[in-house]
Each structure stands twice: as structure tokens, then as C-alpha cells.
Amino acid sequence: MADVKKIVEGFKQLVDAINKSAPAKGILAKWLEGYVGRIHAFEIDDKKFHIVFWPDKAKFVDGESHTPDIVIRATADAWNDMVTGKKKWSQLLNEGTLFIIGAANEIQPFIQIAMTAGVIPSG
């Protein structure tokens, strides 16, 4: 069984890594060109948090956002299965253990930034 606390700590580590990585910040700047920022909200089991992305930095925030661009809702096990490659996101959507609400096109830049920063939050 995946640990929500470890997943949340992984997201905090990801944000720290983004803020320390010049290449990740370069992707942020390109992704957010012409925008003030983006908000990605996450609901993993009963834990709600969000990440605010600006062109030059990112910030982890506990609690829900009232204006997210995208909400990713998943069980901890589903999240872990997705990021470890055990299951495809489409399979999790079909199972009803993963929901993507809002601008799904925002997922690709998020994955690119996470891969560049070198931190994939898992539990």
C-alpha cells in the first residue's frame, strides 16, 4: 500500500528540485511565457495540496486551490502505480481510481519539468 505522506514529501522535494535547477526553470519560463502562472491541484486519498508555478519558480501549498488549472485526484496506490509504470494512466481512469479535471494539456509540461528536475513523487 502506497504511503500518502511519502507522496506529499516527494512533491515537496520536487518543488525544491525545480527551484534549484536552471534547466527546470528554463522549461518553466518557456511553458509559462505570456502567463502569470499555473496551478496544479492534487488530491491524493484525503490529502489536498497544490503547486503554484511561476515563470521563475514553483511553490508547494498545503490545502486546496480555489482556482486550479488542473486537478488530479487519485488514490495513493493509483498514483504510485502510475508514476512507477505499473499501470497506464488510461487504465486508472477506466478503473475510477484516477480523475483528471481541467486542462489535461498541462500534464505534459509538468512531467517534463519533473523529469528535468530528477524527482518523481512516489510512495
Side-chain angles (χ1 to χ4, degrees):
M1 179 174 261
D3 185 343
V4 177
K5 290 180 183 178
K6 285 184 181 179
I7 294 170
V8 171
E9 283 306 311
F11 274 98
K12 290 177 182 179
Q13 291 171 3
L14 171 60
V15 168
D16 286 342
I18 290 168
N19 290 328
K20 293 176 183 174
S21 169
K25 285 183 178 181
I27 295 168
L28 274 178
K30 184 177 177 183
W31 171 36
L32 298 173
E33 189 176 332
Y35 295 95
V36 174
R38 291 279 193 252
I39 299 173
H40 286 201
F42 297 87
E43 298 176 12
I44 309 294
D45 286 345
D46 62 347
K47 182 67 176 164
K48 295 179 180 182
F49 57 93
H50 58 282
I51 300 174
V52 181
F53 296 99
W54 292 282
D56 62 340
K57 64 183 176 180
K59 180 180 178 181
F60 178 94
V61 182
D62 273 313
E64 64 185 301
S65 168
H66 299 290
T67 58
D69 295 288
I70 185 170
V71 177
I72 297 174
R73 184 179 298 148
T75 65
D77 289 334
W79 178 265
N80 211 47
D81 287 348
M82 182 177 61
V83 300
T84 60
K86 185 176 177 182
K87 292 185 179 180
K88 293 182 178 184
W89 63 268
S90 56
Q91 181 181 355
L92 297 167
L93 287 169
N94 287 331
E95 291 175 359
T97 56
L98 170 69
F99 298 90
I100 299 170
I101 303 160
N105 62 304
E106 297 291 331
I107 295 171
Q108 183 57 39
F110 174 76
I111 292 169
Q112 186 180 12
I113 291 166
M115 297 295 286
T116 301
V119 177
I120 304 298
S122 65

